[in-house]
Amino acid sequence: MNARDWWVDEDVLESIAIGAGILGTGGGGNPYNGKLQVRHLIEQHGPVRIVVPDAVPDAAVVVSVGGMGAPTVSIERIPRGDESVVALRALERFQGRQADYLVPGEIGGSNSMRPMSVSLLTGLPVIDGDAMGRAFPELQMDTFSIYGVPVAPAALADPHHNAVVWQRVMDPLTLERQARAVTIQMGGSAGFAFPMMSGAELKRTVIPMTMTFARQIGDVVRDARRMHRDPVAEVASQCGGQVLFEGKIVDVERRMSAGFARGALMLDGLADYRSQRMTIDFQNENLIARLDGEVVAIVPDLICLVDRDTAAPVTTEVLRYGLRVAVLGIPAPAILKTPIALQAVGPAAFGYDDAYVPLSGTYGGDLLASQPGS
Amino acid sequence: MNARDWWVDEDVLESIAIGAGILGTGGGGNPYNGKLQVRHLIEQHGPVRIVVPDAVPDAAVVVSVGGMGAPTVSIERIPRGDESVVALRALERFQGRQADYLVPGEIGGSNSMRPMSVSLLTGLPVIDGDAMGRAFPELQMDTFSIYGVPVAPAALADPHHNAVVWQRVMDPLTLERQARAVTIQMGGSAGFAFPMMSGAELKRTVIPMTMTFARQIGDVVRDARRMHRDPVAEVASQCGGQVLFEGKIVDVERRMSAGFARGALMLDGLADYRSQRMTIDFQNENLIARLDGEVVAIVPDLICLVDRDTAAPVTTEVLRYGLRVAVLGIPAPAILKTPIALQAVGPAAFGYDDAYVPLSGTYGGDLLASQPGS
């Protein structure tokens, strides 16, 4: 135990789910099912212990756990929750080492919830941080692998407890392709455990305090709703971002392709944006937003759709004609904007010729700036 | 060492390659590249030791090794040969046990050669037997898994030494699907190592003496060629089979689908078969032969295309208009004709409604009957 540890109870969980949904940038899976699962486990086992990265010893063993697959699938095929525990145990058995800490691979979407489920099933605490600061569609798009933590061994498991361990992979993209292929064979969703790293590696590569950030975003939204203020405006201003657009969804083009939900949506402007039009391309996550044809935000910056009135996150799989949404732009964490990171998560990694033009501001804004240890 | 051990030198290798090619029933991959690799290794390390199953202690550790993928791919992308060694080492490391013996998973085609390569690279002897008595397109179609040897753990590796271990799979078909998906991601061919079994399990489930059978088929063909007798007729009569047809290939329909070479060929009759027509469906291997529309041979019985003059095996990937071939029918080993085996390798397993009507005769015929220990 550490004086800066904090705990996730049912109330804190509500805030994290809202924040993680917004940070999911449309993908990462709706945290709703995962939240119900964690809540159920909290009722049985008590709150989840969260540990700030600074407090982790260099020699500790840290494992990232989460779910892999297209969010469209996991809506209909609810993960049992223990797939990732099976994957974790397979990895531990293979490596002959027990994990001391869990860390989310991505704070955005349902993978913010999965480590807490695994925590409550195993007793291991969860690190306050992640490797994306948002959600991304492919597993090599994370700061652990971008900054040199070996991806292998890596484990994948499914609800039938089929468990696969990659002993050696030549590069993260190879793991992405092979694990994605197995995930599809596993029915479209699976639990993963990788990488297994030292506390020193974690502290060098993690994006710190993102569990805190998600919680605070949720707190801002809930407070504003309670006080009848505008939650969209408050989130945008406090998290370092801006409102890019407000509009009504008038078209959604969507297809499943190679295990991803790909497509684009079109918005007709409302209020200040009347007579303007925004299009957003997505591959699970929102990747590029164009206002009347001009790029106004592009990956790795966060393009977040929220309900225009309540600021509830709007994920890719629930997009439909007529929804009235606000589009938030939040600058990516600095660690995702380095030249080496942009190779993995910049526009070109998604097939766009457009240059990366960063949004102004700082990831986390006032919310994270006020945090000790950030 | 055992008095009944025998050795594969360069001359014996030639015979095995011919026999294994014929037993490949069109699939299993042309043994040619594998043969060159084994010959090269024999030059460096000496002959390969072959051990009859009876001589294996019950407690010995036996591992099946081979290659997975569509033969069409491995023609153009020659396996390095050590993929299966990498897979074997991954499996040994995972299980914490060293292999004592290697066993071919399928005697038909290139997988007859791979265990000999691995033998020469590791010093482990090869069992005189296999789990198919021929070739089959899917890895769960083998007597090890049909008769209850657990398929997991199972290992797969590629030329870049990417190595994947399945720790647990719910059934062999699950492994087939997931391993096939990874093989496609690995570029279409991979080396495997599984199952790891005891000597007792081996002796209960293996089809014995099939290395000997392949060698003898090759000897018959080579002797007949040398003596200017008819190799096709001699093979058919001595191996327990029959000549089903002689004809000219007039049409080949072929497609790659889910990692398999699927299709059909059409033959116009020659000599005694003039004015008759045979069609043969294949999925890597030849599955069903129809003479003027009537089924005359069907899986699991062996439907083998050979050159009409030389009895050289004609594999699926070299089928082309104008080839003059004989079609041999060889009865499947009895262990493949039980009700439980027919569920895995009978007509229905390949999507055919046709009943299994066995060819008359005995797998191996005079050749195996004359063998001590068979």
Side-chain angles (χ1 to χ4, degrees), chain B residues 5-17 38-39 41-43 45-51 112-113 116 120 126 211-212 215:
Chain B
D5 289 358
W6 53 280
W7 299 84
V8 177
D9 60 16
E10 294 176 34
D11 184 68
V12 173
L13 184 67
E14 288 297 324
S15 290
I16 293 176
V38 176
R39 192 159 73 194
L41 290 167
I42 287 175
E43 283 167 12
H45 302 282
V48 183
R49 182 177 151 211
I50 309 294
V51 177
S112 61
M113 296 290 138
M116 291 191 277
L120 292 164
V126 175
M211 290 285 285
T212 293
R215 170 188 180 169

Side-chain angles (χ1 to χ4, degrees), chain B residues 19 63 78 97 99 128 149 177 193 200-201 218 227 235 244 302 353 358:
Chain B
V63 176
I78 298 170
R97 303 190 68 184
D128 190 350
V149 177
R177 289 186 176 150
E201 285 175 311
M227 309 301 281
V235 164
L244 297 173
L302 288 67
D353 293 331

Side-chain angles (χ1 to χ4, degrees), chain A residues 172-355:
Chain A
L173 187 57
T174 297
L175 178 63
E176 159 62 30
R177 287 183 177 152
Q178 296 184 8
R180 183 78 51 189
V182 173
T183 296
I184 291 168
Q185 294 300 323
M186 285 177 165
S189 72
F192 70 75
F194 86 94
M196 179 178 271
M197 65 193 127
S198 68
E201 286 175 311
L202 173 84
K203 288 180 278 188
R204 184 171 61 76
T205 58
V206 75
I207 305 175
M209 312 306 285
T210 52
M211 290 284 284
T212 293
F213 187 32
R215 171 188 178 168
Q216 292 176 326
I217 290 174
D219 285 346
V220 167
V221 168
R222 294 170 78 197
D223 284 348
R225 286 180 193 164
R226 209 160 22 224
M227 309 301 282
H228 304 288
R229 300 191 306 259
D230 178 3
V232 172
E234 297 207 2
V235 164
S237 69
Q238 290 198 43
C239 72
Q242 56 188 279
V243 177
L244 298 173
F245 197 71
E246 292 176 66
K248 186 179 84 164
I249 297 179
V250 292
D251 196 23
V252 183
E253 172 208 325
R254 198 193 324 245
R255 61 190 188 281
M256 283 298 291
S257 162
F260 292 114
R262 295 174 197 261
L265 69 142
M266 195 177 295
L267 299 160
D268 274 357
L270 296 169
D272 294 350
Y273 303 90
R274 190 167 303 275
S275 83
Q276 291 187 292
R277 170 163 280 193
M278 177 168 275
T279 60
I280 299 176
D281 292 0
F282 55 84
Q283 177 183 335
N284 293 6
E285 284 72 36
N286 302 317
L287 298 178
I288 183 166
R290 293 184 182 90
L291 185 60
D292 294 333
E294 292 293 314
V295 175
V296 291
I298 189 164
V299 68
D301 285 340
L302 288 69
I303 300 165
C304 311
L305 259 63
V306 296
D307 182 279
R308 195 186 171 214
D309 297 321
T310 67
V314 175
T315 53
T316 304
E317 65 271 18
V318 299
L319 295 174
R320 61 177 171 74
Y321 180 87
L323 276 184
R324 285 153 196 270
V325 300
V327 182
L328 304 181
I330 302 176
I335 194 173
L336 292 182
K337 301 183 192 180
T338 65
I340 190 175
L342 286 175
Q343 282 179 22
V345 300
F350 296 92
Y352 293 104
D353 293 332
D354 307 79

Side-chain angles (χ1 to χ4, degrees), chain B residues 37-313:
Chain B
Q37 202 161 57
V38 176
R39 192 159 73 194
H40 180 66
L41 290 167
I42 287 175
E43 283 167 12
Q44 296 177 286
H45 302 282
V48 183
R49 182 177 151 211
I50 309 294
V51 177
V52 298
D54 297 355
V56 176
D58 282 356
V61 177
V62 187
V63 176
S64 179
V65 292
M68 184 167 194
T72 320
V73 169
S74 53
I75 284 188
E76 297 187 359
R77 182 171 181 272
I78 298 170
R80 270 172 47 156
D82 57 352
E83 297 95 319
S84 303
V85 177
V86 173
L88 174 66
R89 296 311 184 204
L91 190 68
E92 289 179 326
R93 179 180 157 191
F94 185 83
Q95 248 349 42
R97 303 190 68 184
Q98 305 289 310
D100 301 312
Y101 298 90
L102 305 168
V103 61
E106 61 183 343
I107 190 65
S110 58
N111 275 334
S112 61
M113 296 290 138
R114 193 68 78 93
M116 291 191 277
S117 287
V118 176
S119 171
L120 292 164
L121 292 167
T122 61
L124 298 172
V126 175
I127 299 294
D128 190 350
D130 78 312
M132 295 183 174
R134 47 169 292 165
F136 279 123
E138 302 190 4
L139 57 71
Q140 83 280 7
M141 296 174 166
D142 72 280
T143 54
F144 302 144
S145 51
I146 290 169
Y147 292 104
V149 177
V151 288
L156 203 66
D158 73 9
H160 303 290
H161 291 189
N162 294 310
V164 188
V165 177
W166 279 261
Q167 183 188 46
R168 186 183 174 284
V169 289
M170 57 191 294
D171 54 39
L173 186 58
T174 298
L175 177 62
E176 159 62 30
R177 289 186 176 150
Q178 296 185 7
R180 183 77 53 188
V182 173
T183 296
I184 291 168
Q185 295 300 323
M186 284 177 165
S189 71
F192 70 75
F194 85 94
M196 178 178 272
M197 66 193 126
S198 68
E201 285 175 311
L202 173 83
K203 288 180 279 188
R204 184 171 63 76
T205 58
V206 75
I207 305 174
M209 313 306 287
T210 52
M211 290 285 285
T212 293
F213 187 32
R215 170 188 180 169
Q216 292 176 326
I217 290 174
D219 285 346
V220 167
V221 168
R222 294 169 79 197
D223 284 349
R225 287 180 193 164
R226 205 159 26 224
M227 309 301 281
H228 304 289
R229 300 191 306 259
D230 179 1
V232 172
E234 297 207 1
V235 164
S237 68
Q238 290 197 44
C239 72
Q242 55 188 282
V243 177
L244 297 173
F245 197 70
E246 292 176 66
K248 187 179 83 162
I249 298 178
V250 293
D251 196 21
V252 183
E253 171 208 325
R254 197 192 327 243
R255 62 189 189 280
M256 283 297 290
S257 162
F260 293 114
R262 295 173 196 262
L265 68 142
M266 196 178 293
L267 299 160
D268 274 357
L270 296 169
D272 294 349
Y273 303 90
R274 190 168 303 276
S275 83
Q276 291 188 292
R277 170 163 280 194
M278 178 168 275
T279 60
I280 299 175
D281 292 0
F282 56 84
Q283 177 183 335
N284 292 7
E285 286 72 36
N286 302 318
L287 297 179
I288 183 165
R290 293 185 183 89
L291 185 60
D292 294 334
E294 292 292 315
V295 174
V296 291
I298 189 164
V299 69
D301 285 340
L302 288 67
I303 300 165
C304 311
L305 260 63
V306 297
D307 182 279
R308 193 184 172 215
D309 297 321
T310 66

Side-chain angles (χ1 to χ4, degrees), chain A residues 160 162-163 165 167-170, chain B residues 160 162-163 165 167-168 170:
Chain A
H160 303 290
N162 295 308
V165 177
Q167 183 187 46
R168 186 182 175 284
V169 290
M170 58 192 293
Chain B
H160 303 290
N162 294 310
V165 177
Q167 183 188 46
R168 186 183 174 284
M170 57 191 294

Side-chain angles (χ1 to χ4, degrees), chain A residues 67-80 83 114 156-160 180 182-192:
Chain A
M68 184 167 195
T72 321
V73 170
S74 53
I75 283 188
E76 298 186 358
R77 182 170 181 271
I78 299 170
R80 270 171 47 154
E83 298 94 320
R114 193 69 78 94
L156 203 66
D158 73 9
H160 303 290
R180 183 78 51 189
V182 173
T183 296
I184 291 168
Q185 294 300 323
M186 285 177 165
S189 72
F192 70 75

